[in-house]
Amino acid sequence: MTMMIETLRQIFRDQGTDVRAKVSGIYLFLIAFNLAAAAYALIAFRDRPILMGTALLAYGFGLRHAVDADHIAAIDNVTRKLMQEGKRPVAVGFFFSIGHSAVLFIGTLIVAVTVMQVSGRFDRFNDLAGIVGTVVSGVFLLVMAIMNLMIARSTYRIFRHVKAGGAYDEDDFNVLLNSRGLIARLLRPLFLLIEHSWQMLGVGFLFGLGFDTATEVSLLTVAAAEAGKGMPVWSILAFPALFSAGMSLIDTTDGVLMLGAYGWAFVKPIRKLYYNLTITLVSVVIALLIGGVETLGLIGAEFGLRGWFWGPVAGLNGHFGLLGFGIIGIFVVAWVVSVVVYRMSRLDELEVG
């Protein structure tokens, strides 16, 4: 964490007082938001401590959701566009996540209230909904991991080419970046209309309306299950609060780091390549982790599989909240390792054509 803070400090050392003040203000708000969401969960689940594991998982889902290809592509495209216009858009990721979060709160509220209205019939529906939700979640994550792995492979090829002394083609690399994410490709013309960071509120809201990602489906499934058990709506809203807190933290950091990466790119394009390679690989690892555990857990449960392999898989699914710790740990380790490798490889000393 110390290395992350130091790296952020170095990125914006030459960006000007105004940029540093805005970044500081945004992170003070995000820290307060994350602490408030955690306090909200502690109060809501004070009599049901077992749900704290589920709450942690919701927070982990938010962290993972922020590295979805669509999020990265949207923040990347708008940041690049505004920087080409001579602006310093420090809050692109922040406003995008706030708009996205609004949809999650509304969706969770609608699902919880609806389930409460039909709670008498929910028990028969719950098992089927759990199976369908797990299949959708697991398959989507695994497919997304494969797609991101292909993009990471292409990025790595460019990275090796540049590292070996080859020429760096900004336009070709931007075409590759723009290929990430289905919704990002569909809404790409909308990015051209963005002139200020706050306008990403609307873009984030439109992205949220899709509910096309596994983590959002999983969040709604959790909300529906707890509503069916009679949990009050105000307590259920702790889940989207934690999800939004985690997502906002990573989305904002992505936007801030992307601003630094594109600022660097004018002098050292290798930094931009390295950053995109790192964040894409992190997305692949987390998607494989969650998608693999969910899918294998469902297969083992439905077919009654036992043994040295299926036992631990069932254990992870029985304590799914542990994956929240895993996701957070992956982010921290990936960041620290990537910074160490970058510095030890002395990539900044490369001459890029």
Side-chain angles (χ1 to χ4, degrees):
M1 188 60 68
T2 302
M3 292 183 67
M4 181 182 293
I5 295 173
E6 178 60 27
T7 302
L8 287 171
R9 186 183 301 168
Q10 288 180 4
I11 289 175
F12 291 98
R13 187 168 292 165
D14 299 325
Q15 292 285 341
T17 304
D18 184 53
V19 169
R20 290 196 294 269
K22 289 179 180 179
V23 171
S24 299
I26 290 173
Y27 273 101
L28 285 175
F29 173 83
L30 287 175
I31 291 171
F33 181 25
N34 277 257
L35 292 176
Y40 185 8
L42 289 172
I43 295 172
F45 307 134
R46 63 186 182 279
D47 299 327
R48 306 175 70 177
I50 194 172
L51 285 177
M52 287 307 300
T54 307
L56 179 62
L57 181 61
Y59 186 75
F61 274 155
L63 295 175
R64 199 223 64 80
H65 184 60
V67 296
D68 274 349
D70 283 315
H71 283 232
I72 297 172
I75 296 170
D76 177 272
N77 285 334
V78 174
T79 299
R80 184 168 68 246
K81 173 187 179 295
L82 295 180
M83 287 198 69
Q84 288 172 346
E85 296 173 356
K87 301 173 183 177
R88 290 293 179 267
V90 299
V92 170
F94 173 76
F95 283 114
F96 177 88
S97 63
I98 296 300
H100 203 313
S101 298
V103 179
L104 291 174
F105 274 96
I106 295 171
T108 303
L109 185 62
I110 292 174
V111 167
V113 172
T114 301
V115 169
M116 288 178 178
Q117 297 299 320
V118 295
S119 58
R121 291 167 287 175
F122 184 75
D123 290 339
R124 293 176 296 173
F125 171 75
N126 192 30
D127 291 339
L128 179 60
I131 293 174
V132 173
T134 301
V135 170
V136 172
S137 175
V139 172
F140 186 93
L141 282 170
L142 293 175
V143 170
M144 188 182 69
I146 294 172
M147 294 175 62
N148 279 345
L149 190 59
M150 294 172 64
I151 292 175
R153 181 186 178 191
S154 299
T155 305
Y156 182 65
R157 285 179 174 175
I158 298 174
F159 176 79
R160 287 188 60 187
H161 173 71
V162 173
K163 186 179 178 182
Y168 171 74
D169 192 316
E170 176 80 12
D171 291 336
D172 286 348
F173 185 54
N174 288 338
V175 169
L176 174 64
L177 296 183
N178 289 336
S179 66
R180 297 170 299 183
L182 175 61
I183 296 182
R185 291 198 297 269
L186 293 176
L187 296 182
R188 192 177 303 150
L190 182 62
F191 299 153
L192 300 177
L193 303 177
I194 302 297
E195 298 294 336
H196 304 282
S197 296
W198 64 265
Q199 293 172 325
M200 287 295 282
L201 280 168
V203 176
F205 191 87
L206 290 176
F207 269 66
L209 288 176
F211 280 109
D212 67 323
T213 58
T215 41
E216 291 172 294
V217 173
S218 299
L219 180 68
L220 295 181
T221 302
V222 169
E226 297 305 326
K229 296 175 185 176
M231 178 179 287
V233 173
W234 77 270
S235 296
I236 292 174
L237 290 178
F239 295 125
L242 287 165
F243 186 102
S244 299
M247 179 181 66
S248 299
L249 182 63
I250 300 301
D251 272 340
T252 301
T253 301
D254 181 38
V256 170
L257 291 176
M258 189 57 66
L259 175 62
Y262 281 114
W264 281 346
F266 290 113
V267 180
K268 295 289 183 181
I270 195 73
R271 293 170 172 174
K272 179 177 158 186
L273 284 166
Y274 187 81
Y275 170 77
N276 278 278
L277 179 62
T278 300
I279 198 68
T280 304
L281 288 176
V282 169
S283 177
V284 170
V285 171
I286 294 177
L288 287 175
L289 174 65
I290 299 179
V293 169
E294 283 186 336
T295 304
L296 291 173
L298 179 62
I299 293 173
E302 291 301 311
F303 291 95
L305 301 176
R306 300 289 185 271
W308 64 271
F309 176 77
W310 298 102
V313 169
L316 279 175
N317 277 271
H319 301 83
F320 213 54
L322 293 175
L323 283 181
F325 285 113
I327 294 170
I328 296 170
I330 288 173
F331 272 105
V332 174
V333 171
W335 180 269
V336 172
V337 171
S338 66
V339 171
V340 171
V341 171
Y342 186 88
R343 291 181 176 177
M344 291 184 65
S345 301
R346 305 173 72 176
L347 294 177
D348 260 352
E349 299 178 12
L350 292 177
E351 293 295 331
V352 180

